[in-house]
Amino acid sequence: MSETRPTPLTLTPELVAAARESKAWPFEEARKIVRRYEGRAWPAEILFESGYGPSGLPHIGTFGEVARSTMVRNAFRVLTEEKLPTRLLCFSDDMDGMRKIPDNVPDRAFLEPYLHQPLTVVPDPFGGKYASFGHHNNAMLRRFLDTFGFDYEFASATDYYKSGRFDDILRRVAERYDALMAIMLPTLGEERRATYSPFLPISPKTGRVLYVPMKRVDAEAGTITFDDEDGEEVTLPVTGGRVKLQWKPDFGARWVALGVDFEMFGKDHGPNMMVYDSICAALGGRPPEHFVYELFLDENGEKISKSKGNGLTIDEWLTYAPTESLALYMFQKPRTAKKLYFDVIPRAVEEYYQFLAAYPRQDWKERLGNPVWHIHAGNPPVVDMPVSFGLLLNLVSASNAHDKAVLWGFISRHAPGVSPQTHPELDRLVGFAIRYFDDFVKPSKVFRAPDAVETDALRALSDRLGTLPADADGEAIQNAALDVARGIERYQDHAKKSPTGGPGVSIAFFQMIYQVLIGQERGPRFGSFAALYGIDNTRALIERALKGELVA
């Protein structure tokens, strides 16, 4: 079990009333659980479950399932005013056979002799620190989850099967074997139907998980009979970890055995949901409430996979952004497919701090729709962020800064009294910005030389900036830039109106500035950037561009 406990919630009548009306998806899901027990006695606890297949290193999708389940759990705690214990179980199907060797292990040949053996029997290929490959992957999952301080209990299928905790449900599967086969067989192809069984025996000779037909199922004795890999007939008890269940029956059986009230899973499980539910019901249980979320995709639009190792890892995201930005990404639009690659990070960081800044000004209805309430379990921190992440990235780009001290020189001049000591959260972002720029922005920067019209525009912009006081704020600088652009035909937008009634300014003007001065297609508001970078520095940057030094 994790060392943490659920973050205490501060409940007020206003909060509870807003929660009962909130349209935020965690509250909508939590209300399903409340309705589940309408007219019935509440159980001793409400159990949330998240399943995990440790066939490879955990990916962000696994984290997302636990994060989202935690958000629903917290919403439920508010709706029921903390009158009922809740628990989140992270269940690892680590007794599953290793059907293929993951692409991202150090030595694939090392694992080949262990194909189809339970993951908790396969040796650890990452230096042998853990008892098995399954134990290693479980440890990685727990480390990732602990990084975020989740309150959860970890469960190992191997432990549950071998300790006898699943013995009763396994005997019930034997008793209701025909009913389960009647559910499963219509979902299978002809060839698979010929050999299918809900039970997967562990060969007493080879230790492999066997996909073989049953010759006999003796419900009274609690045994199965089958032919082992060498053709010899074998009879095994279904108890004590000598067999496991196929993954679809395992879903339904586990829900019955543990009394699961809520479980979410990805869209790829959606077509099987009715099968899981039917098996659960056939075994005498009530299916839990479900939430089906869309899948995570890599930059090529392909589903991320533990065995392929494609898509971002949690460690990779946290190299360039705070943990809260990843939690925000998980909260937003869970029923929409999302690409998980490095380009999405800056926007997630920007939006997190925007939501955080808005929270104190909101009423309870708005707050419960604000992601930061769910990210921080109802207690978002108060953070002053005088400079945005986007501005920091462009400041690094313009200044070619490679250490925090250089960036802090600009920040402290722009915002007197702001320092790493007074604003540690901003200091953390400064480090992230430098790393992200060095690894992803800098290699893709492409400066271009200005043409004749652009050269005149930039010279006019520099001259106009020279008329402003050194401490001009971003708004004054932005207005000065707009005044320059309004007089240049190329940048006039006749669909817009200027304050004097003339044409407005096309976005092409600012795109040109960033392409020529920063080597990027877009950037934050020019006035804000120039105020942070400094008017003199901005004019010097324009001069370098006009001399052709940036292109070189």
Side-chain angles (χ1 to χ4, degrees), residues 136 145 209 265 273 373:
H136 170 273
L145 297 182
V209 179
F265 34 71
M273 187 167 63
W373 188 93

Side-chain angles (χ1 to χ4, degrees), residues 203-472:
S203 170
K205 298 178 180 179
T206 66
R208 288 154 56 101
V209 179
L210 303 182
Y211 290 77
V212 293
M214 297 296 102
K215 300 178 76 171
R216 287 183 301 281
V217 176
D218 188 332
E220 186 174 347
T223 61
I224 57 173
T225 301
F226 59 95
D227 287 339
D228 207 335
E229 292 182 279
D230 60 2
E232 182 180 348
E233 185 175 282
V234 175
T235 297
L236 286 180
V238 297
T239 54
R242 296 175 181 86
V243 306
K244 74 176 299 290
L245 294 175
Q246 291 260 17
W247 65 281
K248 291 179 186 178
D250 187 77
F251 257 91
R254 190 165 70 237
W255 291 341
V256 179
L258 303 179
V260 177
D261 290 293
F262 182 88
E263 178 155 356
M264 63 171 60
F265 34 71
K267 184 182 178 181
D268 50 345
H269 285 279
N272 297 314
M273 187 167 63
M274 294 301 296
V275 176
Y276 305 153
D277 288 354
S278 297
I279 290 170
C280 179
L283 292 173
R286 184 182 182 188
E289 306 306 313
H290 305 311
F291 179 76
V292 180
Y293 58 84
E294 261 288 0
L295 302 179
F296 296 99
L297 310 174
D298 66 13
E299 60 186 319
N300 299 315
E302 297 180 0
K303 176 190 170 186
I304 60 174
S305 164
K306 293 187 292 291
S307 59
K308 288 183 180 178
N310 60 332
L312 280 176
T313 67
I314 293 175
D315 284 340
E316 286 170 335
W317 184 293
L318 298 186
T319 300
Y320 306 104
T323 58
E324 297 85 357
S325 64
L326 178 55
L328 169 67
Y329 198 69
M330 295 301 160
F331 175 87
Q332 294 175 311
K333 297 180 179 179
R335 294 192 189 274
T336 300
K338 293 184 176 187
K339 289 188 176 182
L340 272 171
Y341 59 104
F342 292 103
D343 286 1
V344 306
I345 292 177
R347 182 177 178 181
V349 176
E350 287 275 87
E351 290 183 343
Y352 167 71
Y353 289 103
Q354 289 169 4
F355 283 121
L356 200 60
Y359 187 83
R361 305 188 299 268
Q362 296 174 325
D363 61 24
W364 274 114
K365 178 181 178 181
E366 293 171 319
R367 286 181 173 184
L368 295 185
N370 188 325
V372 299
W373 188 93
H374 302 272
I375 292 169
H376 295 284
N379 189 28
V382 176
V383 174
D384 176 28
M385 194 59 63
V387 180
S388 72
F389 191 60
L391 276 173
L392 288 176
L393 284 173
N394 279 275
L395 181 59
V396 178
S397 184
S399 63
N400 286 312
H402 295 289
D403 62 70
K404 286 184 173 183
V406 174
L407 284 190
W408 270 108
F410 290 106
I411 295 169
S412 298
R413 179 191 54 75
H414 171 68
V418 174
S419 69
Q421 291 72 38
T422 63
H423 288 69
E425 188 76 359
L426 178 58
D427 187 53
R428 189 164 66 127
L429 281 196
V430 167
F432 287 135
I434 291 172
R435 286 196 291 273
Y436 189 88
F437 172 79
D438 284 343
D439 290 350
F440 298 107
V441 180
K442 185 176 181 179
S444 63
K445 284 167 67 77
V446 179
F447 291 93
R448 67 174 180 82
D451 62 23
V453 173
E454 294 165 342
T455 296
D456 291 343
L458 288 170
R459 187 166 285 119
L461 175 61
S462 179
D463 292 343
R464 183 60 185 273
L465 292 177
T467 68
L468 298 176
D471 60 350

Side-chain angles (χ1 to χ4, degrees), residues 52 54-59 98 100-109 111 124-126 133 136-137 140 144 304-313 316:
Y52 164 64
S55 57
L57 297 177
H59 57 56
M98 185 177 68
K100 61 179 180 179
I101 300 172
D103 296 332
N104 54 359
V105 297
D107 185 356
R108 291 171 56 84
L111 294 183
D124 174 16
F126 296 97
F133 188 33
H136 170 273
N137 292 339
M140 295 302 100
F144 293 158
I304 60 174
S305 164
K306 293 187 292 291
S307 59
K308 288 183 180 178
N310 60 332
L312 280 176
T313 67
E316 286 170 335

Side-chain angles (χ1 to χ4, degrees), residues 27-189:
F27 282 102
E28 291 182 341
E29 294 306 306
R31 279 192 283 272
K32 291 181 184 177
I33 308 171
V34 173
R35 290 193 295 268
R36 178 180 178 86
Y37 287 100
E38 284 181 352
R40 304 173 59 198
W42 286 106
E45 67 174 10
I46 296 295
L47 181 61
F48 296 77
E49 187 186 39
S50 176
Y52 164 64
S55 57
L57 297 177
H59 57 56
I60 285 181
T62 307
F63 156 78
E65 193 167 297
V66 178
R68 289 166 170 169
S69 297
T70 298
M71 292 171 184
V72 177
R73 182 188 181 190
N74 287 333
F76 177 83
R77 292 167 62 203
V78 173
L79 290 175
T80 55
E81 300 180 62
E82 289 269 48
K83 294 175 181 176
L84 198 67
T86 61
R87 190 160 57 98
L88 173 59
L89 189 70
C90 186
F91 194 92
S92 172
D93 188 15
D94 55 18
M95 201 169 164
D96 194 22
M98 185 177 68
R99 290 184 289 275
K100 61 179 180 179
I101 300 172
D103 296 332
N104 54 359
V105 297
D107 185 356
R108 291 171 56 84
F110 171 71
L111 294 183
E112 284 185 9
Y114 303 96
L115 275 169
H116 302 292
Q117 293 197 8
L119 292 163
T120 45
V121 174
V122 177
D124 174 16
F126 296 97
K129 179 179 177 181
Y130 296 93
S132 71
F133 188 33
H135 285 85
H136 170 273
N137 292 339
N138 287 340
M140 295 302 100
L141 172 70
R142 298 182 72 170
R143 179 173 66 86
F144 293 158
L145 297 182
D146 290 344
T147 298
F148 293 83
F150 290 122
D151 171 63
Y152 69 98
E153 179 181 338
F154 182 80
S156 160
T158 301
D159 292 343
Y160 275 47
Y161 273 103
K162 289 190 173 183
S163 69
R165 193 159 181 176
F166 280 163
D167 282 358
D168 287 345
I169 196 65
L170 289 165
R171 291 190 188 97
R172 197 177 306 174
V173 171
E175 292 168 2
R176 305 185 185 183
Y177 186 84
D178 290 342
L180 267 60
M181 289 291 280
I183 294 169
M184 289 302 307
L185 292 181
T187 70
L188 306 172

